[in-house]
């Protein structure tokens, strides 16, 4: 576990402890008495990479870095578990932190190189708008289609087939 940057955590809130996994008698642990959580630290082996951008949502979706850089070469983008993998996270961090004097590009690079986890609040909130498209027209005028991995097209087609709501006259 340790070589993957995974911590074993016991307890909640202020009573949280990171414990050595070798100190646990795993043979005695069952679903009924399981009292641990696992957390993988940010870094080169973490699927979320070195940078994770949190934004308010009820689905625990993040915009994040990735160590699997080769996935950006593939036409399918459905290799994540619902989160949004970003190709140039450092540029996004620089843009988002441009209003914070203590976070220029050198300081961002130094923080990443240190391996120490930082939580940085933005100087002001930035609206996040996510779009899920399975069809669009590319800049060269070619219609593009992709697989509907979240099965939303059928629901959308049904909604589009409904009669338009009538306007009430006042």
């Amino acid at each position: 576990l340790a070589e993957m940057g995974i911590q074993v955590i016991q307890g909640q809130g202020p009573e949280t402890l990171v414990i050595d996994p070798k100190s646990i008698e795993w043979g005695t642990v069952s679903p009924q008495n399981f009292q641990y959580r696992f957390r993988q630290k940010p870094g080169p082996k973490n699927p979320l990479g070195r940078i994770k951008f949190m934004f308010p949502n009820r689905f625990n979706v993040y915009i994040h870095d990735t160590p699997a850089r080769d996935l950006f070469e593939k036409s399918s983008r459905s290799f994540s578990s619902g989160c949004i993998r970003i190709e140039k996270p450092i540029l996004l961090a620089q843009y988002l932190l441009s209003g914070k004097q203590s976070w220029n590009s050198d300081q961002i690079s130094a923080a990443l190189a240190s391996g120490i986890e930082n939580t940085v609040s933005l100087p002001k909130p930035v609206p996040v708008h996510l779009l899920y498209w399975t069809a669009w027209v590319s800049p060269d005028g070619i219609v593009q289609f992709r697989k509907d991995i979240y099965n939303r097209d059928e629901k959308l087609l049904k909604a589009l087939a409904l009669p338009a709501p009538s306007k009430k006259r006042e």
Side-chain angles (χ1 to χ4, degrees):
L1 294 174
E3 62 272 2
M4 294 298 292
I6 297 175
Q7 297 174 316
V8 178
I9 301 170
Q10 186 175 29
Q12 298 289 329
E15 303 299 316
T16 299
L17 296 171
V18 176
I19 58 174
D20 183 350
K22 294 176 189 161
S23 70
I24 301 168
E25 291 187 41
W26 291 104
T28 64
V29 176
S30 70
Q32 291 73 30
N33 69 0
F34 191 83
Q35 54 184 322
Y36 309 102
R37 291 180 294 130
F38 298 100
R39 181 183 179 278
Q40 189 173 18
K41 294 189 280 187
K45 295 184 180 182
N46 187 314
L48 298 180
R50 300 178 303 156
I51 301 177
K52 177 173 70 172
F53 301 91
M54 308 286 290
F55 57 95
N57 70 90
R58 65 180 194 264
F59 304 107
N60 289 325
V61 171
Y62 317 113
I63 298 172
H64 66 85
D65 183 18
T66 180
R69 309 304 297 167
D70 60 311
L71 295 178
F72 291 110
E73 303 300 320
K74 301 188 181 296
S75 61
S76 174
R77 295 296 303 269
S78 60
F79 298 104
S80 190
S81 300
C83 288
I84 301 138
R85 186 180 312 106
I86 185 170
E87 190 169 5
K88 298 178 181 177
I90 295 172
L91 288 178
L92 179 59
Q94 289 171 347
Y95 172 77
L96 292 173
L97 295 173
S98 62
K100 251 185 140 120
Q101 289 182 337
S102 60
W103 286 101
N104 63 34
S105 62
D106 290 339
Q107 286 146 333
I108 292 169
S109 296
L112 291 171
S114 77
I116 297 170
E117 185 173 345
N118 291 287
T119 299
V120 181
S121 297
L122 297 180
K124 63 179 186 168
V126 174
V128 175
H129 300 276
L130 301 177
L131 302 173
Y132 174 73
W133 291 0
T134 57
W136 67 92
V137 177
S138 64
D140 57 2
I142 298 173
V143 178
Q144 302 284 321
F145 295 97
R146 296 297 183 272
K147 184 178 177 185
D148 178 21
I149 61 171
Y150 295 115
N151 299 314
R152 294 187 172 209
D153 284 351
E154 184 177 341
K155 185 177 179 180
L156 178 61
L157 287 172
K158 285 179 181 176
L160 290 171
L162 294 173
S166 61
K167 267 190 167 180
K168 289 185 178 182
R169 293 186 181 219
E170 295 179 22

